[in-house]
Amino acid sequence: MIAGLDPSGVRTGRVHGRYFRENFAQGGLELVQMIPELVTNADAAIAASGREHGRIRLSFGLPDPAFLATWREQTRRLRVPALRSWEYELRCSDDGVGIDAAVIDQRLGALGVTPDHTSQRGLFGRGLRDVWLAQGAGRIEGVRAGRAVESWFFPARGDDPFAFVHVRDEPADAADLRDLGIERSGTRVTVPLIAKRLPTPGRLRALVAQLVQLRPVLEDPARELWLELPGEPPQLVTNPAPEPDPQRPVLLDDELDLGEGLSARIVVRRAAAPIALTSQRSTRRGGLLIRSGRAAHEVTLAGHEARPGARHLFGDVWCAAIEDLQRSALDAPRPQVLVKVDRSGLNEHHPVVARLYDAIEQALRPIIDGEERRAGAHVVAATRAVATRDQVGLRALNDALKSAFDTPGSRGLLRGDQASDRAAAESDEAATAPPADDKPASVEAIEPQPPQDAVVPSALRFKQSPLRLHPGEQRGASLLIDPQRIPPGTPLEITRDRGLAWKPAGELVVPGPQRAGWSRLSGVVRARVSCEPGSRLAVTVTAADHEATLEVVIVRHRASGWVREIARKDEDAEVEAEFDPETGVVTVYEGRREFRALERAARRAGLSKRRVREYLPYRMLEVEVAANTVYAWAAREVIARRAGELSTDGPAYAEAVRFEAQALRYRAHDKLMQAFLEPEVFDGGVQIRATDDPTHSGQRSLLEQ
């Protein structure tokens, strides 16, 4: 037997700092992980201050050149492996409790520090260091109790994971408060971004507004989150919650028994319209949001993700035990945490989380089954003649959408001639007019007006966008480049969403111009089989200062075109029709009063109930309703792609969508009606016959008065 061990013989193992940096980098390389850490820490700082109202400011911008030069000089002098320079940086400011040197030493000077208070994500806890270490640099500034502090964080030289230094620690003055935008106390955290380009403003706004972990902050009336983007004024970020169904807003409000004395509350709501799927679970709008305290962890449907009956469902699950079990696990010798280390959601291997998922799945199953039965109920089958004519009309409708979405060849990208200073009639008369010397002296010369500026086309754009792909499908996609503004040989940079790939042939440089004057780079875009149907992915190509985006919509159905089917429901609804772009189905609600009136007229005309939809006025109303719904959807898509984002000016955006829908109808509706209706309608084969019913007291024809 061993009598005892000599304590002096115990040796300490060494871990290289690269190990820490590589592991921390897994949790802070993407904006979807950086932004929640910054905002939730700011929210916790405001809560710790005891104030009733707090303001958080999130800004993307260029770094200060003077600071960047000082940073580069000092980090080289310290000989630390810090990031030397960056193009953009992310800053998060708040008017919370603030920080001083002692707080930084306590909260940020050690690893594994748990939050001071419950029901919060943490007050500058371990997650903030994850972000800084992943990016290779970081800075924090703050004012607390009349003192201003500024500290720098960077990777350490040796086997330690990180190092920090207090650059400034002195009494605060009015300039410090004004620089941070606060009145008494607050903090500003700066994170350098290693990306060479920022996402488009529209995508940044959508990202911040839809992040799952920020929803408790956005829903709190005592919090304001402002977003500042380069070249734009600050905008207040609001939660884009789905509009609830006015008839059935809440489907379930109950308690879930998780066993061992644990429980959770579940509230399932129904949206008025189907909720579109996103490419990332961190920004998903549909599904149940799992919460604990002020924290939001993930959105899930617990095994019902791909079911069509779940497209309208959203809601919340409150489980207070998650935070308590997480804190107790961190103090255990062999911790099994409930929340993943990278904050991407819950640990599905934890037994409590597994029981929570099972309870949610059992609670949702009857609701989703009922939604699917209800969706299939009251569906009216059309006759063979109407169904055959529908296929002809849908082909014409898809052709109209293709001309609206696609670029009409290279000629459509070229700049036209200068505008004439005369009207068309004046130009014709001027061509046959006598010379100027023969004109009477009383005729004054017409002063030529300066030509209006022609719209300059984009120097870099995809020939067709958006594309519709099935999971695992691939298609060709061509990139058109103006060689006069982007010289041949300019390198191209490609960024793409996860699950999408675009691989052009040859080198990633601008090729020489073709016969039409444009350079063309062809490639194959492919959607992985793991892509969720309904998600919208993008491929972004940049060259010099120009950018082009290819939008790809992942679809489930196997039909070609945007519109696949016209479904008819014998139900009354406030809307005439609905269009689901994922399935390509236009649902027309033919239980409305106008359809009922025409149905009675068709029955009086001698048509059977099954052949009511062959009655010409009924058929025309059906086609008008379905076409107008698709026109409105296409107008929103065209405006969104043209502007790059949805405008914040409500009246102007609504007017733009209305005008675009009317323009699309003007270009395509005559051909569409000829495709949907029988040829006899346009050959004069329709005749009006007076009724012999003496009880009919309707308005007489205007021709008989």
Side-chain angles (χ1 to χ4, degrees):
M1 296 179 61
I2 301 177
L5 297 177
D6 186 2
S8 60
V10 178
R11 299 183 180 183
T12 303
R14 301 179 61 192
V15 180
H16 197 276
R18 182 172 63 89
Y19 169 81
F20 293 96
R21 291 194 292 273
E22 289 177 353
N23 281 272
F24 291 149
Q26 297 177 8
L29 288 178
E30 298 182 0
L31 290 176
V32 295
Q33 295 166 309
M34 299 180 192
I35 296 175
E37 294 293 347
L38 300 180
V39 176
T40 53
N41 279 331
D43 173 70
I46 297 173
S49 66
R51 298 175 184 172
E52 297 182 356
H53 188 274
R55 182 186 178 99
I56 304 173
R57 185 175 59 187
L58 194 68
S59 60
F60 293 83
L62 302 174
D64 183 9
F67 167 77
L68 200 57
T70 304
W71 170 275
R72 188 181 301 111
E73 177 184 356
Q74 297 300 326
T75 52
R76 285 177 177 173
R77 180 176 300 177
L78 295 174
R79 300 178 63 186
V80 293
L83 185 66
R84 295 287 188 257
S85 62
W86 52 90
E87 298 292 335
Y88 298 95
E89 61 185 18
L90 173 61
R91 296 180 291 271
C92 184
S93 307
D94 65 79
D95 54 358
V97 66
I99 58 168
D100 53 22
V103 173
I104 293 178
D105 292 338
Q106 176 188 2
R107 302 297 309 164
L108 296 176
L111 293 171
V113 180
T114 57
D116 290 335
H117 308 280
T118 59
S119 299
Q120 69 178 48
R121 275 297 303 274
L123 183 59
F124 307 123
R126 180 174 178 266
L128 186 58
R129 285 185 298 272
D130 290 352
V131 175
W132 281 338
L133 289 174
Q135 300 303 100
R139 178 168 60 146
I140 186 170
E141 305 164 86
V143 174
R144 180 172 182 172
R147 295 195 64 83
V149 65
E150 177 181 353
S151 301
W152 295 358
F153 283 74
F154 38 78
R157 289 181 56 187
D159 294 336
D160 296 322
F162 70 95
F164 66 99
V165 59
H166 299 306
V167 179
R168 180 186 176 204
D169 184 11
E170 58 189 17
D173 54 17
D176 297 321
L177 299 177
R178 186 169 54 253
D179 181 49
L180 295 178
I182 57 178
E183 297 181 358
R184 298 186 301 272
S185 62
T187 309
R188 178 169 63 195
V189 178
T190 303
V191 178
L193 302 178
I194 59 177
K196 296 183 179 180
R197 291 181 181 272
L198 291 176
T200 59
R203 297 193 71 178
L204 282 177
R205 276 195 289 269
L207 173 65
V208 176
Q210 296 178 8
L211 278 172
V212 170
Q213 296 169 330
L214 299 189
R215 292 181 188 175
V217 180
L218 298 178
E219 295 172 356
D220 191 351
R223 296 289 185 269
E224 292 184 6
L225 177 59
W226 292 81
L227 179 62
E228 296 182 9
L229 301 177
E232 296 187 5
Q235 295 185 7
L236 181 64
V237 181
T238 57
N239 181 27
E243 181 182 356
D245 190 340
Q247 299 178 355
R248 299 187 301 153
V250 179
L251 303 180
L252 177 66
D253 188 349
D254 199 1
E255 291 287 332
L256 301 178
D257 185 10
L258 306 182
E260 300 180 0
L262 304 178
S263 64
R265 182 191 173 195
I266 180 173
V267 177
V268 182
R269 297 179 175 88
R270 190 180 193 277
I275 304 174
L277 299 177
T278 58
S279 59
Q280 294 178 323
R281 294 180 62 88
S282 57
T283 57
R284 182 177 178 179
R285 296 177 58 200
L288 302 182
L289 178 63
I290 300 181
R291 307 169 180 253
S292 65
R294 289 187 58 84
H297 302 290
E298 67 175 24
V299 172
T300 182
L301 284 169
H304 302 289
E305 307 289 343
R307 296 188 61 177
R311 290 292 307 279
H312 288 78
L313 302 185
F314 70 104
D316 303 276
V317 176
W318 287 273
C319 183
I322 292 179
E323 183 173 355
D324 299 334
L325 294 175
Q326 177 78 0
R327 286 179 173 271
S328 60
L330 294 177
D331 297 332
R334 297 184 60 187
Q336 186 180 9
V337 295
L338 280 79
V339 182
K340 293 182 180 179
V341 178
D342 59 356
R343 280 93 171 154
S344 61
L346 298 180
N347 178 16
E348 63 273 12
H349 303 292
H350 196 282
V352 175
V353 177
R355 295 201 301 268
L356 177 62
Y357 285 161
D358 292 340
I360 294 175
E361 183 176 2
Q362 294 178 9
L364 288 179
R365 182 176 291 110
I367 296 177
I368 296 177
D369 291 342
E371 287 290 310
E372 293 179 350
R373 286 194 301 268
R374 185 176 182 273
H378 305 288
V379 175
V380 180
T383 61
R384 177 177 297 182
V386 173
T388 303
R389 205 69 200 177
D390 281 350
Q391 296 301 319
V392 179
L394 291 178
R395 284 197 295 268
L397 182 56
N398 286 318
D399 290 341
L401 294 179
K402 183 177 181 180
S403 64
F405 289 146
D406 298 355
T407 302
S410 59
R411 291 292 180 182
L413 303 179
L414 302 179
R415 180 185 296 188
D417 298 333
Q418 297 293 336
S420 174
D421 58 345
R422 300 171 183 266
E426 294 181 1
S427 301
D428 296 339
E429 294 174 359
T432 58
D437 297 339
D438 298 338
K439 289 184 180 180
S442 60
V443 179
E444 298 181 359
I446 300 178
E447 293 292 336
Q449 299 295 328
Q452 298 180 354
D453 294 335
V455 178
V456 180
S458 176
L460 188 69
R461 64 182 300 174
F462 282 93
K463 187 176 180 181
Q464 179 180 351
S465 179
L467 291 178
R468 295 165 64 86
L469 297 179
H470 305 105
E473 186 184 2
Q474 62 182 22
R475 283 186 58 185
S478 298
L479 180 69
L480 301 180
I481 311 164
D482 187 355
Q484 296 182 358
R485 284 181 283 173
I486 307 178
T490 303
L492 300 173
E493 296 182 4
I494 302 176
T495 57
R496 44 191 171 263
D497 289 339
R498 187 174 302 172
L500 198 64
W502 182 66
K503 185 177 181 181
E507 300 181 1
L508 291 180
V509 296
V510 176
Q514 295 182 346
R515 181 178 302 178
W518 283 76
S519 300
R520 178 169 179 167
L521 191 64
S522 299
V524 176
V525 58
R526 180 179 181 272
R528 296 183 180 273
V529 294
S530 58
C531 293
E532 288 287 341
S535 60
R536 308 181 73 91
L537 309 179
V539 175
T540 303
V541 180
T542 56
D545 295 331
H546 303 276
E547 182 177 288
T549 301
L550 171 64
E551 186 177 2
V552 178
V553 182
I554 308 299
V555 296
R556 177 182 289 114
H557 63 82
R558 294 294 176 180
S560 60
W562 287 266
V563 188
R564 180 178 64 92
E565 178 187 354
I566 296 180
R568 300 161 177 86
K569 277 196 172 183
D570 191 14
E571 292 182 0
D572 192 5
E574 296 182 357
V575 296
E576 296 177 325
E578 293 179 339
F579 176 57
D580 188 353
E582 178 189 344
T583 60
V585 177
V586 184
T587 304
V588 181
Y589 294 98
E590 299 186 356
R592 291 167 57 94
R593 290 188 291 270
E594 60 269 29
F595 283 98
R596 292 298 190 192
L598 292 177
E599 180 181 357
R600 291 192 294 269
R603 297 300 300 273
R604 284 197 299 266
L607 295 178
S608 64
K609 186 175 181 180
R610 177 173 174 79
R611 296 185 57 198
V612 162
R613 282 145 197 89
E614 299 178 12
Y615 186 58
L616 180 59
Y618 195 103
R619 174 67 170 171
M620 293 182 65
L621 178 60
E622 188 179 68
V623 173
E624 289 282 343
V625 166
N628 288 336
T629 302
V630 177
Y631 290 154
W633 168 80
R636 292 192 297 268
E637 294 293 321
V638 171
I639 293 299
R641 191 170 79 249
R642 181 183 302 165
E645 59 200 52
L646 295 183
S647 174
T648 57
D649 188 355
Y653 171 70
E655 179 63 21
V657 171
R658 187 194 70 83
F659 179 80
E660 188 65 32
Q662 291 296 318
L664 179 59
R665 179 186 174 91
Y666 176 78
R667 296 192 301 266
H669 201 63
D670 58 336
K671 299 179 181 178
L672 191 67
M673 296 298 291
Q674 294 182 19
F676 271 105
L677 303 180
E678 296 295 334
E680 293 80 2
V681 176
F682 301 92
D683 295 338
V686 178
Q687 298 180 1
I688 299 177
R689 180 176 59 86
T691 179
D692 298 332
D693 188 0
T695 62
H696 178 67
S697 59
Q699 180 182 355
R700 295 176 58 192
S701 171
L702 297 177
L703 300 178
E704 300 177 2
Q705 296 181 0

